């Protein structure tokens, strides 16, 4: 779905301009996104397999929940909205712990450049895995993976090609933040 989003400068500051998401991706305009990493108290992390019709990284495994922030939408409200849309959970602002903002530029071709600032949160899953309801149009599958396995795979010891290629520092920050919560 093409939606209106806020445009940021290269430092992540709001410019006061908006554009359609398609135009921002075509021209490489910076814009805000939200990432929510869900984990369990027994050391597992929820991963989402991207839908097969996604224009970038179809069927690769990625962050539990992610999405664009609508123009004028508060970052935390976007995170809560995305959690409800993508995994069917209604949570509150107090359930989220913001761990940082990560700049990301991924050029997928001449007409698709993701220039984003990922506002990144942690959320401890309080419900059984079976109660999650994936958004079929966006998400092919959900799985829980031990954090240690995920870390090994991300750091190149096995199967790194099955994940969306985020910056190594990004993944390291996520893993360390979850380890601190356990």
């Amino acid at each position: 779905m093409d939606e209106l989003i806020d445009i940021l400068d290269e430092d992540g500051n709001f410019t006061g301009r908006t554009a359609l998401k398609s135009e921002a991706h075509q021209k490489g305009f910076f814009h805000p996104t939200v990432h929510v990493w869900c984990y369990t108290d027994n050391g597992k992390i929820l991963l989402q397999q991207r839908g097969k019709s996604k224009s970038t990284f179809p069927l690769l495994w990625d962050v539990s929940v992610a999405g664009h922030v609508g123009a004028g939408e508060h970052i935390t409200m976007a995170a809560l909205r995305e959690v409800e849309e993508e995994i069917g959970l209604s949570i509150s602002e107090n359930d989220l712990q913001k761990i940082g903002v990560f700049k990301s530029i991924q050029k997928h071709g001449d007409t698709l450049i993701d220039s984003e600032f990922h506002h990144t949160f942690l959320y401890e899953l309080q419900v059984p895995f079976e109660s999650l309801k994936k958004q079929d149009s966006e998400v092919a599958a959900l799985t829980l993976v031990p954090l240690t396995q995920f870390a090994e795979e991300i750091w190149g010891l096995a199967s790194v090609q099955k994940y969306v290629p985020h910056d190594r520092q990004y993944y390291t920050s996520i893993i360390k933040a979850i380890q601190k919560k356990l």
Side-chain angles (χ1 to χ4, degrees):
M1 179 178 78
D2 212 2
E3 57 192 304
L4 200 60
I5 58 176
D6 289 312
I7 303 304
L8 308 176
D9 67 19
E10 63 183 27
D11 296 319
N13 301 306
F14 288 93
T15 63
R17 296 183 306 134
T18 60
L20 288 173
K21 183 171 70 171
S22 59
E23 180 186 9
H25 287 166
Q26 182 181 27
K27 296 181 179 176
F29 296 154
F30 281 103
H31 55 280
T33 61
V34 291
H35 284 192
V36 180
W37 288 90
C38 304
Y39 67 95
T40 64
D41 63 358
N42 66 345
K44 293 187 177 179
I45 187 168
L46 179 69
L47 297 175
Q48 170 192 133
Q49 186 179 35
R50 293 171 60 80
K52 66 180 178 180
S53 63
K54 298 293 278 182
S55 60
T56 60
F57 307 115
L59 299 178
L60 292 187
W61 292 93
D62 200 4
V63 59
S64 313
V65 171
H68 286 81
V69 178
E73 186 177 26
H74 187 275
I75 298 293
T76 306
M77 294 300 107
L80 296 175
R81 175 181 50 77
E82 289 291 343
V83 167
E84 189 160 4
E85 288 176 3
E86 292 191 1
I87 62 173
L89 287 182
S90 180
I91 64 173
S92 74
E93 190 171 347
N94 292 335
D95 294 325
L96 295 174
Q97 178 193 353
K98 190 163 187 178
I99 60 170
V101 180
F102 300 86
K103 185 176 183 177
S104 173
I105 302 171
Q106 293 198 11
K107 187 171 182 178
H108 304 283
D110 291 338
T111 59
L112 182 51
I113 304 165
D114 276 329
S115 298
E116 301 174 340
F117 282 89
H118 304 312
H119 293 261
T120 306
F121 300 85
L122 295 183
Y123 167 68
E124 182 179 351
L125 277 175
Q126 304 288 323
V127 300
F129 175 76
E130 298 76 27
S131 69
L132 300 177
K133 295 175 179 61
K134 71 178 182 68
Q135 183 182 21
D136 291 331
S137 62
E138 298 277 330
V139 181
L142 296 169
T143 191
L144 282 172
V145 174
L147 185 61
T148 53
Q149 175 187 333
F150 176 70
E152 288 173 358
E153 290 179 344
I154 288 303
W155 290 326
L157 300 177
S159 303
V160 71
Q161 67 278 3
K162 78 180 192 181
Y163 295 103
V164 170
H166 293 292
D167 182 86
R168 185 178 183 100
Q169 178 188 352
Y170 172 78
Y171 276 131
T172 299
S173 297
I174 301 310
I175 292 165
K176 286 183 177 181
I178 293 172
Q179 286 173 330
K180 283 183 182 178
K181 301 297 281 179
L182 299 175

